[in-house]
Amino acid sequence: SMETTFYGVALIISLLLCWSSWKSESSGQQQTNQGPIVVFEPGSGGLSELHWRGEKAVASLSFAGKGEEQTAWVQAGKRERIEGPQTAPAGDDDDSASQAREPAKPVYGEPALRSFPGGKQVAELIERFKPLVALRKFNDLDAATLSEMGLDDPASSLTVSSLSGKKLELSIGDKAYGSSDTYALETGTANVYLLSSKVLGALRSAEGRLMERNILGFDAMEASEVRLSAPGGSTRKLRHEGTHDEANAYWSDPDAPEQQESTDGFMKKLLNLRAIAYPLDTERISDDQVERILRADFPGKPAAHIELGRVRDETRSKEDEPAWDWHARTQLTRDVWVKVSRNSGLELYDNLQKLLDP
């Protein structure tokens, strides 16, 4: 019938229009049905360095080890916004026209940097670069399209190097409409990629997300013994018993078996110390500022140590009642003093004398 023919023609026209629109949007885009779009393959050795220079934050990662054993030392910081001069109000005298105006876009200054060992999210980041894969690839984009992607004057960049000598430099543009995925232009080429938010998200907030809070640097079950020492010369050697069964392992003092419960509790608190803040690189605590409370040395494998100390907080202290901030350092923090919680510091301090002088 005529009605059936009419709807059939309308359906064909609609399909042709959809196909034409799809072809237009796909112009210059590499299809992914032939496999992943590899942007960077570091090789079996892994990464050597990674540098993020963002509009609001920066991060540099230096990697140690190879392959699955890679770790990272991170230096990161946020940029503070620099407020420009206020726009002159209407009706001012003629000189107002020559007064400076607010910048068209916010301006951010140089960041204050802090350094720290990389945590779990660094391990996840390393995995995302083995290899680095894009969601999409675009070729031969015109200037207008690059501008729409924020790649005509990019405010951020990412540089990655591998132990095998490979290097990747990307200019980072805007996020894609309706998502957190981001456009990136490979330096020296016309290659534009759409990168997953999971690649860049941790770098944009590296100061918080990449930080390792556990300052121990090894699995507590690997420690078989410890030597505790205090500044006054008191020492005590403890043993880690039953390490083959983590659920029932405990620390004991051969010279004071009756204190097994308090000994075990003390060591588990010590081994569970967590950093609440790493200092700015320009504000690190010097040794002469710290009153040493305790040093714990773990011989054998792993060969490690923990030092606990306190620093008088003049802003909270009273003449006859000092207030303290508590700090610790280990081989993992590269012997930089990092702040730990006051409760943890106080608990360890209160129980220390019972162990050293049973």
Side-chain angles (χ1 to χ4, degrees), residues 52-59 77-82 104-111 153-157 172-174 203-204:
W52 167 257
R53 294 289 178 269
E55 181 182 27
K56 299 180 181 180
V58 303
K78 297 177 182 177
R79 301 182 188 272
E80 294 294 331
R81 177 173 174 172
I82 301 174
K105 295 195 299 184
V107 177
Y108 296 87
E110 290 302 310
D153 184 23
S156 304
S157 66
I172 307 299
D174 294 339
L203 295 173
R204 287 188 168 113

Side-chain angles (χ1 to χ4, degrees), residues 44-98:
S44 59
L47 302 174
S48 60
E49 293 183 355
L50 186 154
H51 301 281
W52 167 257
R53 294 289 178 269
E55 181 182 27
K56 299 180 181 180
V58 303
S60 292
L61 285 72
S62 299
F63 298 91
K66 293 183 178 181
E68 300 297 326
E69 303 300 320
Q70 279 206 310
T71 59
W73 184 256
V74 183
Q75 186 181 55
K78 297 177 182 177
R79 301 182 188 272
E80 294 294 331
R81 177 173 174 172
I82 301 174
E83 296 293 344
Q86 297 296 317
T87 302
D92 271 13
D93 55 28
D94 294 339
D95 291 338
S96 64
S98 64

